[in-house]
Amino acid sequence: MSVSLALRDRSTSECDSGYASTDSSHTNLSEVFFTKPHLKFINAQLAKLSPQDILRWCLASLPSLYQETAFGLTGLVTVDMLSKLSGPLAPEVDLIFIDTLYHFDETLDLVKRVQSQYPETRLHTYKPKGVGNASEFEAKFGRNLWQSNEELYDYSVKVEPSERAFAELGVKAVLTGRRRNQGAARKGLDIVEIDDQGIIKVNPLANWNFQDVKHYVEENNVPYNALLDQGYKSIGDWHSTQPVSDDEEERAGRWKGREKTECGIHNPKSRYAQFLMEQAKKEQAQAAQLEKAS
């Protein structure tokens, strides 16, 4: 099974057979895309495969493939699985880590341990634009921005750095650590999705539950966040993450007691476009009021 490619600008001489060659100097291949029926078929087929076989399909089918990870358990399992794939499709999948500047110390320690255990895996770290640490961020935006302007916080520390990473690295497809068993908005996850920007997002462990992931980590000596031994299951920024009880959903400790379930990276892009437009309108209105007052 392979990804559909659109063919453009095909000359008559090149297309007599009904096909165009990638070796043709006059034939342009568009970006990878899926029709809705094709995507539905692919998801139905991939649902029958193991995560390792899904990863093999990704390596064979998707160009400019990266893995975006906050080093949660599912992402760590993916890193380990990729490191053990061999053969002609041996992976070269770089990692993208968004350092929000508010990660737990245990998370940053884990990043170092992962780099040590998987030295062949390259890591690209992106931080909020124009700042290098939390003090610089707070000098620019003020303290506790996640409380005073949560939309701006999510955009500044997660969405914008992710978009910048994808643009600079030329990302066309990305592996994520999302699973249906994580609940909330993730219950209806497909294995392959297309976001509003045309990025192909693949959830190779979508069918696994927390115990499946934990068992793999234990059996394969995969490094993991020390906070998991303290009652945490899903770990994000220190200010919005709490431990959970055994009978709570895996992500119940994220933004606990609130309706929010996602940080922004996996929410529709239009939400943030609308947010920025609203910010611009407010600034224009304030500027107009000041002009009238003067």
Side-chain angles (χ1 to χ4, degrees):
M1 189 191 312
S2 62
V3 176
S4 296
L5 294 171
L7 303 178
R8 303 192 305 251
D9 302 330
R10 294 182 293 183
S11 68
T12 302
S13 61
E14 290 167 344
C15 300
D16 289 341
S17 66
Y19 295 90
S21 169
T22 54
D23 294 329
S24 170
S25 60
H26 300 291
T27 300
N28 295 321
L29 297 179
S30 78
E31 303 294 351
V32 175
F33 80 97
F34 299 88
T35 63
K36 287 185 178 179
H38 188 196
L39 185 59
K40 183 177 180 180
F41 174 80
I42 285 174
N43 274 306
Q45 296 299 98
L46 293 180
K48 305 171 186 177
L49 303 181
S50 68
Q52 291 90 335
D53 284 337
I54 293 172
L55 291 173
R56 291 187 180 96
W57 175 86
C58 291
L59 296 173
S61 305
L62 304 178
S64 301
L65 177 65
Y66 287 76
Q67 179 183 351
E68 187 170 35
T69 181
F71 296 95
L73 274 190
T74 313
L76 294 166
V77 168
T78 302
V79 171
D80 189 77
M81 286 180 173
L82 284 170
S83 74
K84 293 175 179 176
L85 295 182
S86 58
L89 296 180
E92 292 184 3
V93 179
D94 291 4
L95 302 179
I96 299 172
F97 171 56
I98 306 303
D99 183 354
T100 65
L101 309 177
Y102 292 93
H103 284 294
F104 287 94
D105 289 340
E106 289 86 348
T107 301
L108 300 178
D109 174 70
L110 173 62
V111 174
K112 295 176 182 177
R113 288 189 284 123
V114 169
Q115 288 181 288
S116 176
Q117 185 154 329
Y118 307 98
E120 301 301 317
T121 302
R122 287 172 292 190
L123 174 66
H124 305 272
T125 300
Y126 280 78
K127 296 181 179 182
K129 193 172 184 177
V131 297
N133 54 54
S135 296
E136 292 178 4
F137 184 83
E138 290 170 6
K140 183 176 181 179
F141 292 103
R143 293 177 59 85
N144 302 339
L145 183 63
W146 57 88
Q147 293 178 336
S148 62
N149 194 334
E150 187 176 46
E151 293 278 10
L152 179 58
Y153 177 79
D154 281 350
Y155 183 83
S156 299
V157 307
K158 298 173 184 178
V159 178
E160 188 283 327
S162 179
E163 291 178 344
R164 180 161 30 98
F166 285 17
E168 292 182 2
L169 298 173
V171 177
K172 298 292 186 295
V174 63
L175 303 173
T176 87
R178 295 179 296 160
R179 293 181 284 103
R180 297 189 188 103
N181 185 252
Q182 290 171 324
R186 304 188 177 190
K187 290 181 179 179
L189 273 181
D190 281 327
I191 292 173
V192 180
E193 303 173 309
I194 314 296
D195 74 7
D196 290 352
Q197 301 303 296
I199 299 295
I200 300 168
K201 291 189 172 183
V202 183
N203 311 302
L205 278 78
N207 292 329
W208 278 26
N209 60 38
F210 183 78
Q211 291 304 319
D212 293 329
V213 175
K214 185 178 179 183
H215 177 73
Y216 182 97
V217 167
E218 293 170 349
E219 289 295 307
N220 292 273
N221 194 32
V222 177
Y224 64 89
N225 199 314
L227 292 173
L228 269 74
D229 294 328
Q230 300 176 35
Y232 293 81
K233 287 187 177 180
S234 178
I235 301 166
D237 291 342
W238 59 260
H239 53 72
S240 58
T241 306
Q242 299 180 37
V244 297
S245 61
D246 291 340
D247 59 350
E248 287 184 295
E249 285 191 343
E250 182 178 339
R251 288 175 60 83
R254 305 288 294 277
W255 309 285
K256 198 162 190 176
R258 302 176 52 197
E259 292 183 3
K260 181 175 180 178
T261 60
E262 296 286 351
C263 66
I265 290 176
H266 299 300
N267 280 348
K269 165 74 175 183
S270 57
R271 175 186 176 192
Y272 294 92
Q274 291 171 5
F275 163 68
L276 292 176
M277 289 174 63
E278 288 299 321
Q279 289 292 109
K281 288 179 182 178
K282 288 180 182 179
E283 291 174 1
Q284 290 173 359
Q286 290 172 353
Q289 289 177 350
L290 290 174
E291 187 175 346
K292 286 181 179 180
S294 61

